[in-house]
Amino acid sequence: MTDTLPAGLIRAIRRWDLVALGVNFIVGAGIFGLPSRVHSLAGPASLLAYGVCATAVILIVLCFAEVSSRFAQTGGPYLYARAAFGPLVGFQVGWLRWLSGLTTFAANCNLMIDYLGYFWPAATMGFWRVWLLSTVTVSMTGINVIGVRDAASVSNFFAVGKLLPLLVFSGVGLFFVSPASFIMPAAPTYTSLATSALLLVYAFTGFESVPVPAGEVHDPQRTVPFALFTTIGLVTLLYVLIQIVCIGTLPGLSDSTRPLADAAQQFLGNFGGAMISAGAVVSIAGNLNGQLLVTPRVLFAIAEQQQLPRFLAATHPRFRTPHHSIIVSAALILALALTGTFLQMATLSVIARVAMYGATCAALPILRRRRDLLAPAFKLRWGTPAAVVGTMLCLWLLSNSTRQEALIAVVAMAVSLPLYFGYRVRFRTSESCSTSHR
């Protein structure tokens, strides 16, 4: 059974649908290359880096859980930043999330075609590449326009499809693990461990998208925190198991460019390599579907708060989805994917996500003092100290960004300012005109 909101959206996303969406966001393509990169930095101590990283990420997730439990509308981090720091900061956070979603989809769509080339080499070249990029984008756009229930069902399918080969890899691989591979010839340095943990933090990104479609979630104040905790728990366990199997079964792990496929080939033969390559395609497809479900809804939320043209906040009269925002976002995604323009903007997603984490953590103590918001369904004990530590952690992560990443983020925010102030003046002018004609 579904309920319709005044805006025309339908609460059709259930608890486990949201968990599947979270899994699709976090488990993308990165895990298929991550084990070798982390091992090259810290060796067997990379398992300790996972513990350090998971602790930091869980702290931020706890802050997200409390803040998200105060809201029942679509928007996620954009909505939280707007409520805590005002419309300008909220707009900047939402704008960065929307742009990073576009570039992430374009980059991952191209990456999926590259993985598909393992089975069909022609897919990576010329006409077939263009056709596949267009077909994937258009078909997923259609699914998301037709209904959020259909999009959620597709997300569930991809979540199961990506988890199965990874669980087979982990479950079978544990029987072939060599304990001698975990002997450390020397203790890792602080720098190598810190760099590994920093790299892993980015591998856990994606959970911030779980609260975005809250306006279409059953009982969002309770469902969103549950989905956040369940997702991060499942992913942490999966990542650690994968790292253990890779370390214990693949000699020369640090030099492997396809660690999961190479490790699977060690104990499952050619079938293992093909299974992991197919799993990568399914995994990325799930991430793409999730991006196209969530990214347009950020645009919808901004328009719903009257910070962008109202037609972007329109919902389809039959399907009750934000069809204009979906189509506009998909058109831009396809243009980026086909032209390769996303390559210059791909690093934006790193800055955007960390900025969202910091803004949400910093918003927690501010929103606690607001009496005009819903009471939180989840309240974090020692929430204010946790928010301070989480904010400081995010500032540390931002300080480790490259000059190029920082420059791209600054340019992206600067480009949004004329749009923000221009539409604000136009909106106020139209409001004044309508008032004077009454």
Side-chain angles (χ1 to χ4, degrees), residues 202-250:
Y202 295 139
F204 279 89
T205 57
F207 64 84
E208 74 284 347
S209 297
V210 170
V212 172
E216 295 160 284
V217 173
H218 284 295
D219 192 12
Q221 288 183 270
R222 289 179 172 80
T223 299
V224 171
F226 170 84
L228 285 168
F229 295 142
T230 305
T231 299
I232 210 67
L234 287 172
V235 170
T236 300
L237 178 61
L238 182 64
Y239 279 8
V240 169
L241 287 174
I242 288 172
Q243 190 70 22
I244 290 172
V245 171
C246 286
I247 293 172
T249 62
L250 183 60

Side-chain angles (χ1 to χ4, degrees), residues 293-308:
L293 191 154
V294 168
T295 299
R297 281 160 174 82
V298 176
L299 200 62
F300 167 84
I302 298 174
E304 194 178 34
Q305 296 295 327
Q306 301 178 342
Q307 290 187 288
L308 283 176

Side-chain angles (χ1 to χ4, degrees), residues 2 258 285 359 402:
T2 59
R258 299 187 308 158
T402 65

Side-chain angles (χ1 to χ4, degrees), residues 254-290:
S254 299
D255 300 320
S256 174
T257 56
R258 299 187 308 158
L260 268 70
D262 292 341
Q265 202 150 11
Q266 290 285 325
F267 56 84
L268 289 174
N270 291 332
F271 166 77
M275 177 189 72
I276 292 300
S277 297
V281 173
V282 174
S283 182
I284 298 170
N287 183 273
L288 294 178
N289 182 69

Side-chain angles (χ1 to χ4, degrees), residues 26-254:
I26 300 176
V27 184
I31 188 57
F32 293 90
L34 187 66
S36 58
R37 295 175 64 192
V38 179
H39 190 267
S40 67
L41 290 168
S46 55
L47 292 172
L48 179 59
Y50 274 93
V52 173
C53 170
T55 301
V57 170
I58 288 170
L59 179 66
I60 297 173
V61 168
L62 286 168
C63 294
F64 261 80
E66 176 175 324
V67 173
S68 66
S69 72
R70 294 179 179 272
F71 295 85
Q73 308 104 305
T74 296
Y78 155 73
L79 211 58
Y80 315 151
R82 191 178 191 279
F85 307 111
L88 177 57
V89 175
F91 183 84
Q92 293 283 4
V93 168
W95 177 257
L96 285 177
R97 171 60 186 86
W98 181 66
L99 283 182
S100 69
L102 300 185
T103 55
T104 298
F105 186 105
N108 284 351
C109 197
N110 276 278
L111 185 61
M112 186 181 72
I113 303 304
D114 291 337
Y115 272 104
L116 192 59
Y118 179 90
F119 304 100
W120 180 25
T124 63
M125 298 175 288
F127 166 79
W128 288 114
R129 187 181 192 92
V130 172
W131 183 82
L132 284 168
L133 288 170
S134 303
T135 300
V136 168
T137 305
V138 171
S139 60
M140 288 192 175
T141 301
I143 291 169
N144 278 275
V145 167
I146 288 173
V148 70
R149 181 68 251 153
D150 294 311
S153 297
V154 172
S155 175
N156 296 344
F157 169 79
F158 282 129
V160 173
K162 75 167 61 179
L163 288 177
L164 277 177
L166 294 176
L167 290 173
V168 169
F169 172 86
S170 303
V172 175
L174 286 174
F175 290 97
F176 294 87
V177 165
S178 169
S181 301
F182 296 89
I183 299 173
M184 289 187 289
T189 64
Y190 167 79
T191 302
S192 64
L193 202 58
T195 305
S196 300
L198 181 63
L199 178 64
L200 287 168
V201 167
Y202 295 139
F204 279 89
T205 57
F207 64 84
E208 74 284 347
S209 297
V210 170
V212 172
E216 295 160 284
V217 173
H218 284 295
D219 192 12
Q221 288 183 270
R222 289 179 172 80
T223 299
V224 171
F226 170 84
L228 285 168
F229 295 142
T230 305
T231 299
I232 210 67
L234 287 172
V235 170
T236 300
L237 178 61
L238 182 64
Y239 279 8
V240 169
L241 287 174
I242 288 172
Q243 190 70 22
I244 290 172
V245 171
C246 286
I247 293 172
T249 62
L250 183 60
L253 171 61
S254 299

